[in-house]
Amino acid sequence: DSSAITAAAARQHAGIRTFSVGYVERDYDERPFARVVAAHLGTRHEELVVSADDARGVIERPGSLLAEPLADMSFVPLYLLSCAARASVTVALTGDGGDELFAGYPTMAAEWWHDRFARLPRAVRQGVRQLAERLPGTPEELRLFLQALDHRREARNQALLGGLSSDRHSVLLSPALRAAVLGFDPYGDIDEALSRCPSEDPAARLIYRYCKLYLAGQNLANADRASMAVGLELRAPFLDHTFVEFLGRIPLDLKLAGFRRWKALLKRALAERLPLETQRRRKQGFGVPFGLWFRGPLAD
């Protein structure tokens, strides 16, 4: 998505500045792909490598910088990248919104499979789940997919985005807190958001929910706090309201076209503007190696 925005901006102004963050942990590092795009479009490219030591200097500060609870650890590298970018620019463009508007999340494609698994007899679902739990080497994604079937339809997909199932988070809570939240529905805000959705089409409601809760409620809030903490203003061209309205008139089957064809419409539109390496690579979120760091250099 950021590559798409860069391609559009580079057509308007030559030699734009681009900024990318990466890690020495290769599974999380997108810098090689960013370099390919930067070279292809002729940008003045800068990279920031964030280490566990860099994170250590920020990790106790998010409470004062965010001003509200927000469980997204990508705040740390976003904040550090904003610090680096602010040294040379005051406004930056981001690719926020592309995944939501073009149905680019693998979890969105999982909705089709959830609907079909949910129709199976309960005994069959339980058998498949028990088999997946017992077999060594079962992908964690499959386990999460099957666990999410315990939720009602509106909450199943949201469960794939993070958080813990009730049986897992209950062991983390004290008896007093478990009693205090008895009967509380952590997915109740989904119903509230969808009550304002003007469409009854399941795919449209899925995109609507991602825009309202995941995009507006988490990603944009996270990026806004990280950038404004250092006086850097972010702009998200994908979220220009006329563009969003235009995308809303495009048939949904062009955006959510099967289990593996994520964001096919946007990729076709950019086929002549971006290098093949960018178009063919697998989906990768803005991951941060905190799991490795908390078990290693940040264990204390």
Side-chain angles (χ1 to χ4, degrees), residues 98 142 162 274 278:
L142 178 58
L274 292 176
T278 298

Side-chain angles (χ1 to χ4, degrees), residues 63 67 69 126 144 239 252 262 269 299-300:
Q126 293 282 29
L144 293 174
L239 300 180
L252 287 163
W262 308 320
D300 60 322

Side-chain angles (χ1 to χ4, degrees), residues 224-260:
D224 178 70
R225 304 302 193 279
S227 57
M228 289 307 296
V230 296
L232 177 70
E233 296 189 24
L234 298 185
R235 300 286 183 268
F238 276 128
L239 300 180
D240 176 88
H241 73 93
T242 56
F243 187 63
V244 174
E245 291 163 1
F246 166 71
L247 290 179
R249 294 192 293 270
I250 293 176
L252 287 163
D253 59 359
L254 293 178
K255 288 182 278 190
L256 197 57
F259 180 60
R260 299 293 297 179

